[in-house]
């Protein structure tokens, strides 16, 4: 039985370590071949054997890890948006409650430094018990989620970020509680001045972490803004003709074959083919192309696009999950939940991070006690180290950048199908273009019909078109269309057979005929004679010449020309400026191929390549050390798309090519190849910046938190360490969000200068907090 892939929406994750715990639990479930949980997207992608595991087993595994899950579905998308908004409101509410309960304790703390503040003298005897009463709900009500998450991690035999928060705040709270009990034992009352109480440390620490969670949730919501925008494009109703009446129905009730009417200014509800009317349609929401497209009878229209000033009537052909918009949403969702190879480094660091931090904190405590520091000093250093460490920032580094980049790509009409192709695009140094339908328009026209041995042009065209009726090749379609335009009556071809890379054969009127290239003539042993010179002249003009022969001789030549797309030369020029070498690959003969390649500005030409050999040509380039992107649109391009380091499929191509390609160009504009690579470089650059910030934060933060620079007057109170930790996660997400300003033709200055500002900002922040603490 083949393996099945499913996506789960996961509730209850607090940090990147939670995602690692769930991933580990799912991976241990019998039948699961692959599991990846994305903290930023709150999704789990699982590949499993349905003979050994079910979706219910997977959900149960998530629950055993201490979280909740349900199957992600199209119907759940609005619910997911509501849950995300509810999460933001929940963290906001918890933060403000924490702030309200902690504020009096901040005043108490200030009063210990400035006894002359109003009411301090009167409140002094009550400060200890008041702090206990205020800190307790913060610790166990607002901070209850940290204990729950920490317990879930402990049951899995590991620690997560919430474990650090729970340990740090509990240490400060329990230590203070112990001092209250000691005061009660020695004084017989809880009223009076009690020293060494740090309830405000625990309360403020939880409050600041909740602030970070709130800001992080808001920022994470912004990373999926492109996704929400796509989902909001779908029309809600459709106007259809049924039983002689025109009625409005819900979009879900449209059936394939329905006749749909779209009035001026309305959204087109589903995909189909125009049967009446003339209008221009704005397809920018799908393709990113701002110029409206003229639509007439026989043209395709797509759901969610906006009709212009004319009325259109079309036949519904794709509905629901099969529409182009639904496919784009599915591609983007899968991409946003995927992992890039660079994420493996972050996962490895995160797996060791929390235990290493706990070890560092214990060592800090022991060293300060050995050096003769007071228990309070050593304990605060311990708590500071525990809470300042932030694997969340490292866990958010990759997925947030992927989410923003893939969303931005979708806005530009470029579907990047996951983290792997996104990262692969950065390293591309060679691009191979298929010719027909990719570099060229793929709609060739007959230019010459040449008689070589008896007969007439009409007879040559009639036989060739009769043979080609059974072929789906673009050249065949052009010959048949030309014959029909001439009014030529076609005959049935018997015993038709296509010979890949050579041509076709069949019987017309009881006579066996062959139509194809030189290889076909050589295969059936027909001499070329004076046909060769004619062929050369046609090919030098950039035309594809096909030979028509019977069993004994060549009867004539039919030449077809396929013109270059308007944007092909610009695309090649852009890639060359990026220091990327460009190849063209085609089954056409060398002369015709070189003529077209010259127009495009391509000097590397791979001609007369059989469909099955295209992948081998890609292999040869890879063997020479090149990182290859293959750009194609047909079924015969699929093996090469799969073989390449990066497959780029044209949106106008076959479904097979689009499914094989790691990147899909919705507009089929070759200039988007350069845009995709540029976006990839920007995204991978952001991921590396994020990882640097996450590691840099800890490299400079942990020593300060451990009070290693106390001799210079630099110490860091635990609550300020918690605030700094919250800022680190928010800064990583914010840095990723700067990718939303990406534009292929202009520099994103805000994104470029952000790393410098953040590096300086982090350093200043630490030293500022350290000075405040002293």
């Amino acid at each position: 039985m083949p393996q099945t892939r499913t996506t789960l929406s996961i509730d209850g994750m607090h940090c990147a370590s939670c995602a690692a715990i769930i991933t580990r639990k799912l991976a241990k479930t019998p039948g699961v071949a692959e599991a990846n949980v994305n903290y930023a997207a709150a999704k789990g992608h699982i590949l499993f054997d349905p003979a050994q595991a079910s979706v219910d087993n997977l959900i149960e595994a998530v629950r055993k890890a201490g979280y909740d899950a349900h199957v992600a579905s199209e119907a759940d998308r609005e619910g997911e948006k509501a849950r995300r908004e509810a999460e933001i409101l929940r963290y906001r509410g918890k933060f403000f409650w924490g702030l309200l309960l902690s504020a009096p304790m901040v005043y108490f703390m200030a009063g210990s430094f400035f006894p002359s503040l109003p009411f301090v003298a009167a409140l002094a005897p009550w400060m200890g018990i008041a702090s206990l009463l205020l800190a307790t709900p913060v610790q166990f009500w607002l901070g209850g989620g940290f204990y729950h998450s920490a317990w879930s991690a402990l049951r899995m035999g590991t620690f997560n970020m919430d474990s650090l928060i729970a340990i740090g705040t509990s240490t400060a709270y329990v230590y203070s509680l112990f001092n209250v009990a000691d005061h009660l034992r020695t004084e017989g009352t809880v009223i009076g001045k009690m020293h060494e109480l740090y309830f405000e440390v625990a309360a403020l620490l939880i409050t600041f972490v909740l602030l970070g969670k709130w800001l992080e949730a808001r920022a994470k919501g912004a990373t999926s803004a492109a996704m929400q925008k796509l989902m909001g494009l779908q029309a809600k109703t459709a106007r259809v003709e049924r039983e002689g009446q025109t009625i409005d129905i819900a979009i879900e009730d449209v059936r394939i074959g329905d006749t749909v009417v779209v009035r001026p200014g309305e959204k087109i509800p589903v995909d189909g083919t125009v049967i009446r009317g003339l209008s221009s349609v704005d397809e920018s929401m799908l393709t990113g192309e701002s110029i409206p497209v003229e639509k007439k009878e026989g043209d395709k229209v797509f759901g969610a696009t906006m009709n212009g000033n004319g009325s259109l009537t079309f036949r519904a052909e794709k509905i629901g999950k099969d529409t182009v918009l639904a496919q784009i949403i599915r591609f983007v969702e899968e991409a946003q939940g995927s992992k890039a190879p660079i994420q493996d480094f972050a996962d490895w660091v995160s797996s060791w991070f929390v235990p290493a931090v706990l070890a560092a904190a214990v060592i800090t405590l022991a060293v300060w006690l050995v050096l003769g520091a007071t228990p309070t000093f050593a304990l605060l250093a311990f708590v500071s180290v525990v809470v300042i460490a932030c694997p969340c920032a490292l866990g958010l580094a990759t997925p947030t950048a992927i989410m923003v980049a893939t969303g931005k790509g979708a806005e530009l009409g470029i579907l990047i199908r996951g983290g792997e192709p996104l990262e692969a695009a950065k390293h591309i140094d060679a691009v191979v273009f298929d010719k027909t339908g990719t570099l060229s328009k793929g709609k060739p026209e007959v230019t010459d019909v040449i008689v070589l041995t008896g007969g007439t042009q009409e007879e040559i065209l009639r036989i060739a078109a009769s043979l080609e009726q059974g072929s789906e090749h673009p050249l065949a379609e052009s010959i048949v269309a030309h014959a029909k335009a001439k009014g030529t009556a076609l005959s049935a071809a018997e015993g038709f057979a296509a010979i890949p890379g050579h041509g076709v054969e069949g019987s017309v009127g009881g006579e066996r005929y062959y139509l194809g290239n030189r290889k076909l003539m050589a295969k059936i042993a027909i001499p070329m004679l004076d046909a060769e010179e004619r062929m050369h002249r046609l090919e030098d003009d950039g035309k594809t010449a096909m030979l028509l022969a019977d069993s004994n001789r060549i009867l004539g030549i039919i030449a077809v020309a396929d013109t270059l797309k308007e944007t092909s030369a610009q695309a090649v020029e852009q890639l060359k400026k990026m220091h990327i070498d460009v190849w063209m690959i085609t089954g056409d003969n060398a002369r015709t191929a070189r003529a077209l390649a010259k127009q495009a500005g391509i000097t590397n030409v791979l001609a007369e390549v059989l469909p099955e050999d295209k992948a081998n040509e890609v292999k040869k380039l890879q063997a020479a050390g090149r990182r290859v992107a293959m750009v194609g649109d047909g079924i015969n391009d699929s093996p090469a798309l799969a073989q390449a380091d990066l497959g780029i499929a044209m949106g106008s191509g076959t479904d097979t090519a689009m499914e094989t390609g790691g990147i899909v160009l919705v507009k089929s504009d070759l200039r988007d190849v350069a845009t995709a690579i540029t976006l990839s470089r920007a995204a991978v650059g952001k991921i590396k910046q994020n990882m640097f910030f996450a590691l840099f934060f800890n490299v400079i933060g942990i020593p300060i938190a451990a009070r290693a620079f106390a001799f210079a007057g630099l110490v860091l109170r635990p609550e300020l360490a918690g605030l700094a930790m919250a800022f680190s996660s928010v800064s990583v997400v914010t840095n990723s969000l700067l990718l939303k300003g990406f534009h292929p033709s202009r520099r994103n200055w805000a994104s470029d200068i952000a790393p410098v500002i953040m590096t300086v900002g982090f350093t200043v922040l630490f030293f500022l907090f350290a000075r405040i603490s002293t």
Side-chain angles (χ1 to χ4, degrees):
M1 185 179 291
Q3 292 182 323
T4 300
R5 190 176 293 276
T6 191
T7 301
L8 300 179
S9 287
I10 298 176
D11 299 322
M13 289 194 293
H14 296 83
C15 67
S17 298
C18 297
I21 291 169
I22 301 170
T23 300
R24 200 175 310 143
K25 185 67 175 177
L26 286 169
K28 290 179 179 178
T29 304
V32 172
E34 180 184 308
N36 172 38
V37 177
N38 186 318
Y39 168 54
K43 293 282 179 65
H45 301 270
I46 306 101
L47 181 67
F48 66 99
D49 183 352
Q52 299 182 59
S54 66
V55 173
D56 288 341
N57 296 145
L58 303 177
I59 292 174
E60 184 59 27
V62 175
R63 287 175 178 163
K64 284 183 178 178
Y67 305 86
D68 200 7
H70 59 274
V71 177
S73 64
E74 292 183 33
D76 185 54
R77 284 173 180 147
E78 284 301 318
E80 185 177 324
K81 180 182 177 183
R83 283 193 297 275
R84 192 177 288 276
E85 290 174 350
E87 179 188 36
I88 294 171
L89 290 175
R90 185 171 67 253
Y91 278 127
R92 186 183 71 176
K94 284 189 171 186
F95 164 67
F96 282 116
W97 271 111
L99 193 62
L100 182 67
L101 292 168
S102 301
M105 288 184 279
V106 174
Y107 190 79
F108 297 160
M109 181 176 65
S112 63
F113 292 103
F114 306 104
S116 59
L117 285 174
F119 310 114
V120 167
L123 291 173
W126 303 92
M127 285 183 181
I129 189 62
S131 295
L132 171 61
L133 294 175
L134 290 168
T136 299
V138 177
Q139 186 72 34
F140 299 106
W141 171 44
L142 301 181
F146 301 120
Y147 285 105
H148 175 76
S149 177
W151 173 245
S152 297
L154 193 60
R155 286 195 305 167
M156 291 290 294
T158 186
F159 296 98
N160 61 8
M161 184 61 215
D162 290 341
S163 303
L164 300 180
I165 302 299
I167 291 170
T169 58
S170 296
T171 301
Y173 181 87
V174 170
Y175 179 74
S176 301
L177 191 63
F178 173 81
N179 283 334
V180 170
D182 185 62
H183 184 79
L184 178 62
R185 180 181 61 82
T186 57
E187 302 295 331
T189 178
V190 293
I191 300 173
K193 192 172 183 181
M194 293 179 285
H195 296 285
E196 297 188 347
L197 297 187
Y198 295 97
F199 288 118
E200 80 280 356
V201 169
L204 286 172
L205 181 50
I206 290 173
T207 300
F208 287 147
V209 172
L210 290 172
L211 170 62
K213 294 287 185 183
W214 173 35
L215 296 176
E216 183 184 308
R218 290 183 58 186
K220 278 165 57 184
T223 64
S224 59
M227 193 73 237
Q228 299 298 333
K229 182 179 177 182
L230 282 172
M231 290 189 288
L233 292 175
Q234 180 68 63
K236 300 297 185 288
T237 61
R239 184 172 291 105
V240 301
E241 293 179 356
R242 286 185 182 169
E243 299 176 357
Q245 291 185 322
T246 301
I247 58 174
D248 289 333
I249 61 174
I251 189 75
E252 296 82 9
D253 296 329
V254 177
R255 299 192 295 259
I256 294 175
D258 274 342
T259 299
V260 184
V261 179
V262 184
R263 294 182 297 196
E266 291 183 334
K267 275 186 182 179
I268 294 172
V270 295
D271 298 1
T273 300
V274 177
I275 54 178
R276 289 193 305 274
L278 178 68
S279 184
S280 60
V281 176
D282 179 2
E283 297 183 343
S284 60
M285 58 284 297
L286 294 184
T287 66
E289 182 57 63
S290 59
I291 301 174
V293 181
E294 294 294 328
K295 300 291 182 179
K296 59 184 184 303
E297 184 179 344
D299 288 341
K300 298 285 185 184
V301 290
F302 305 102
T305 56
M306 187 67 70
N307 186 30
N309 296 323
S311 294
L312 291 173
T313 302
F314 69 92
R315 181 173 52 256
E317 294 174 343
K318 290 185 178 180
I319 61 175
K321 63 182 176 58
D322 297 320
T323 64
V324 169
L325 176 65
Q327 289 183 60
I328 289 174
I329 290 173
R330 177 167 59 85
F331 285 169
V332 175
E333 277 186 329
E334 290 174 355
Q336 292 190 338
S338 67
K339 277 176 61 175
I342 197 172
Q343 176 70 25
D344 292 338
F345 171 74
D347 291 344
W348 178 82
V349 173
S350 295
S351 66
W352 289 96
F353 193 85
V354 175
V357 169
L358 288 173
V362 171
I363 292 170
T364 298
L365 176 66
V367 167
W368 280 119
L369 290 175
V370 169
L371 292 176
T374 64
T376 300
F377 185 93
L379 201 64
L380 290 178
F382 168 85
V383 174
S384 295
V385 171
V386 166
V387 300
I388 200 168
C390 187
C392 279
L394 197 61
L396 288 166
T398 299
T400 53
I402 290 176
M403 289 177 73
V404 178
T406 52
K408 187 64 184 181
E411 288 181 15
L412 297 171
I414 301 168
L415 299 183
I416 304 171
R417 302 185 61 186
E420 193 167 340
L422 180 68
E423 186 175 340
K426 177 188 184 298
H427 303 291
I428 294 303
D429 58 15
V431 174
V432 178
F433 287 106
D434 175 54
K435 181 179 81 70
T436 306
T438 302
L439 279 170
S440 67
K441 292 180 179 177
K443 294 181 179 178
E445 297 178 351
V446 174
T447 57
D448 302 86
V449 179
I450 301 170
V451 179
L452 293 179
T453 311
T456 63
Q457 286 186 337
E458 184 180 354
E459 185 67 11
I460 295 295
L461 182 60
R462 184 185 70 81
I463 296 170
S466 298
L467 279 176
E468 293 284 30
Q469 286 180 102
S471 174
E472 296 180 352
H473 195 283
L475 298 181
E477 292 176 1
S478 68
I479 293 173
V480 174
H482 186 70
K484 288 181 177 179
K486 290 280 188 181
T488 304
L490 305 184
S491 305
E494 299 176 353
F496 171 83
I499 308 169
H502 293 73
V504 298
E505 62 175 307
S507 297
V508 178
E511 183 74 30
R512 196 72 178 169
Y513 292 101
Y514 304 86
L515 179 66
N517 55 23
R518 293 178 179 83
K519 292 179 182 178
L520 180 60
M521 297 302 111
K523 183 175 181 179
I524 59 176
I526 299 292
M528 294 289 292
L529 301 176
D530 61 339
E532 191 67 61
E533 185 180 345
R534 299 280 190 99
M535 293 275 284
H536 285 172
R537 284 205 298 268
L538 292 168
E539 289 163 356
D540 287 340
D541 291 337
K543 300 175 182 178
T544 299
M546 290 168 284
L547 299 157
L548 177 67
D550 58 20
S551 300
N552 302 306
R553 58 187 178 169
I554 294 176
L555 304 178
I557 304 174
I558 296 181
V560 175
D562 186 10
T563 56
L564 199 68
K565 286 181 180 177
E566 292 81 359
T567 59
S568 294
Q570 295 176 43
V572 171
E573 184 181 359
Q574 287 175 348
L575 291 170
K576 286 182 174 179
K577 286 181 179 178
M578 296 167 68
H579 306 291
I580 295 173
D581 293 331
V582 182
W583 270 261
M584 184 181 84
I585 191 167
T586 179
D588 240 336
N589 68 83
R591 271 195 171 85
T592 303
R594 287 197 189 97
L596 192 91
K598 186 177 181 181
Q599 296 175 40
I602 299 173
T603 55
N604 303 308
V605 179
L606 302 169
E608 300 180 36
V609 180
L610 296 176
E612 60 268 26
D613 287 335
K614 287 185 178 180
N616 290 330
E617 293 296 335
V618 171
K619 277 184 185 177
K620 290 177 183 176
L621 290 172
Q622 290 171 324
R626 311 308 294 266
R627 297 288 186 91
V628 182
M630 172 70 195
V631 187
D633 73 326
I635 291 175
N636 61 11
D637 296 324
S638 297
L641 288 170
Q643 173 61 43
D645 298 283
L646 175 65
I648 302 178
M650 309 298 284
S652 59
T654 65
D655 290 341
T656 305
M658 289 179 67
E659 288 294 333
T660 309
I663 292 178
V664 179
L665 308 182
V666 177
K667 301 195 294 285
S668 296
D669 186 337
L670 291 184
R671 291 175 296 186
D672 287 341
V673 174
T675 301
I677 294 173
T678 305
L679 177 59
S680 162
R681 291 176 177 178
V684 175
K686 276 285 170 246
I687 291 171
K688 290 181 177 179
Q689 288 170 16
N690 289 343
M691 287 187 173
F692 168 77
F693 293 139
L695 295 172
F696 175 75
F697 173 89
N698 286 289
V699 166
I700 68 171
I702 290 176
I704 295 176
R707 306 194 170 188
F709 304 108
F711 64 89
L714 294 178
V715 296
L716 192 60
R717 291 183 64 86
E719 61 270 34
L720 293 178
L723 183 59
M725 181 273 290
F727 283 160
S728 72
S729 292
V730 175
S731 65
V732 163
V733 180
T734 303
N735 191 43
S736 294
L737 286 171
L738 292 173
L739 282 170
K740 295 177 77 172
F742 172 85
H743 192 279
S745 61
R746 64 172 180 263
R747 193 162 183 179
N748 186 359
W749 286 105
S751 182
D752 289 345
I753 64 176
V756 177
I757 294 175
M758 289 173 66
T759 303
V760 174
F762 268 145
T763 306
V764 172
L765 179 75
F766 277 125
F767 285 96
L768 177 63
F769 281 0
R771 296 306 300 170
I772 291 173
S773 298
T774 55

